[in-house]
Amino acid sequence: MRLRALLDTDALGLRLLGGEDELDRTVRGVMTTDLRDPSRYLSGGELVLTGLAWRRDAADSEPFVRILVQAGVAALAAGEAELGAVPEDLAVACARHRLPLFAVHESVAFATITEHVVRQVSGERAGDLAAVVDRHRRMMTSGPAGGGPDVVLDLLGSDLDLRAWVLSPTGRLIAGPKMAGPGLPPEACAKLAAEHLAAVRTGRRGPHRVIMGQTTYSLFPIGSGGRAPQAARTSQAAQTPRDVRESVLSDWLLAVEADAGDWADERLDLLQGVTQLIAVERDRRDAARTVRRRLAQEVLELVQTGAAPAEIAARLRVAAPVLLPGLGAAPHWQVVVARVEWDEGGPEAGPLAQSLLEEILVDPLATGPEPSDRIAVAHTGDEAIALVPLPAVSSEHDGSETGLLADALLATVREPLSSGLDGDGRLTLGVSAAVHSAEGLRGALEEARHARRVAAARPGRVCAAGHQELASHVLLLPFVPDDVRKAFTARLLDPLRDYDRRHRAELIPTLEAFLDCDGSWTRCASRLHLHVNTLRYRVGRIEQLTSRDLSRLEDKLDFFLALRMS
């Protein structure tokens, strides 16, 4: 349909504010958004509807309009319900970029415009399949009140007789149909996720066909912003592809109880459209974690910079109500550290480890729309660090500990994540003991980091270790008085630091790598990309400057302690 046809429909309540010369543009679809950058959801030709919630001041209009124009949208329609009149700066930006701009009267719902455009564009195509798409879209774009992905899956069942489930990359059930019939058991979820990750790692295009018992499933990837493979095949726009190692470990999937191999193109297109709608919900949930991530980052920075316990405690008092609403007493805390490592290169590890750790820490028995509301995960460098609150309850009568256990965290996710990391990746986790105050967080962080190093020394793609497995000296390090720490580390490390400053010799990094590799000349040289003879020269210089012998266990332990306390 043409843009000018929208003005001929009085029930839509549209008023043209600019772009009269562009009214012959073709409208191919409609999208509602209040994102500052909705480009990932646009394929070109849309009428974009916005309530202007993205606009904080006049400077926001120009970049928003530029993004729409670059995506090739047909026009922009701004609602008057939020701000009253459409801001002049938005009109100026649209005029500058020749983007037609409409005002939507406050009495007209965006759903009314969406329904009209979809009906006009779709017509009677494919036995009214467009009506199903429209119903799904309206459910998802109406916000939390629309019911989220569960409602979309119910519509797939009622309209197309398809049973489908949304799974995370770890095999966690995110959404499923509420209609009668057996659900998808956890072991089946884990198996489907593993098969999906393995297929993606080998470069196979979705949907992936999996047979379990007597049932055939078709697995559709749900990418960030809904960039599914089918959509990519129908769009000629040049895009920079994501590293498959990143997407395979972060994207959801849609498991449909059917064989999509003999489906008509119309039905495949419909299911790909559903994955795009569910991707919007996925990004909404990611955005909801922003506050918790920021709280974790602030606490982590205070802990790592040696802030006073009173300052850390004040920040924790802010975090506790967010992470444990309605909590009556101060919680206990545990720290979990995760790291993703690739054999060669690979995507940025910190954000990926953060996403995976958030997923792993979700209680598999949790219910409700957002089961991760007790998780605060930050990332620094290549590692992710989770601050996990535990209700301050007494231990069981048998004296067993409460809280997270390293092995239990990986019980249900090891199989799928091993498939996603297979070939060149590893995920290692370390879990601290519970601490009861801000004073203990520094020790808990060191404890979790050391536990992760213990896990990294084990074979396997996915490994974890807990505080129970640590040597006693690691538990004592955080409580050594500062003056003792400084004197001990200065005596051992200051000669090396001074030499590094004068000669740029990197003796301190060499010492750390040598100890991390358990004194293995070959592994250490490989990690540092040095010839073994060069490594031997550096170690000899370390021994000469400190009068220590790195072949002796006692001297190795002294260096290890000095590095941990520095």
Side-chain angles (χ1 to χ4, degrees), residues 227-265:
R227 293 292 188 182
Q230 179 73 13
R233 291 199 297 271
T234 58
S235 173
Q236 300 301 317
Q239 300 180 31
T240 302
R242 283 196 298 171
D243 190 316
V244 68
R245 291 173 293 184
E246 176 185 4
S247 60
V248 74
L249 292 169
S250 59
D251 289 351
W252 289 356
L253 66 134
L254 178 68
V256 182
E257 190 179 276
D259 187 350
D262 55 0
W263 282 3
D265 289 342

Side-chain angles (χ1 to χ4, degrees), residues 117-139:
V117 172
V118 170
R119 186 168 57 248
Q120 294 297 318
V121 170
S122 301
E124 300 300 324
R125 180 179 61 89
D128 206 29
L129 274 179
V132 179
V133 176
D134 182 32
R135 289 177 65 188
H136 292 167
R137 189 178 302 279
R138 282 186 282 130
M139 287 293 183

Side-chain angles (χ1 to χ4, degrees), residues 15 37 51 74 115 133 145 167 174 208 216 233 247 256-257 320 324 397 428 434 451 468 471 503 557:
R15 188 172 74 259
D37 181 4
E115 184 173 2
V133 176
L167 306 178
I174 295 170
H208 308 125
T216 300
R233 291 199 297 271
S247 60
V256 182
E257 190 179 276
L324 287 176
H397 296 300
T428 51
Q468 303 93 337
H503 302 283
L557 180 58

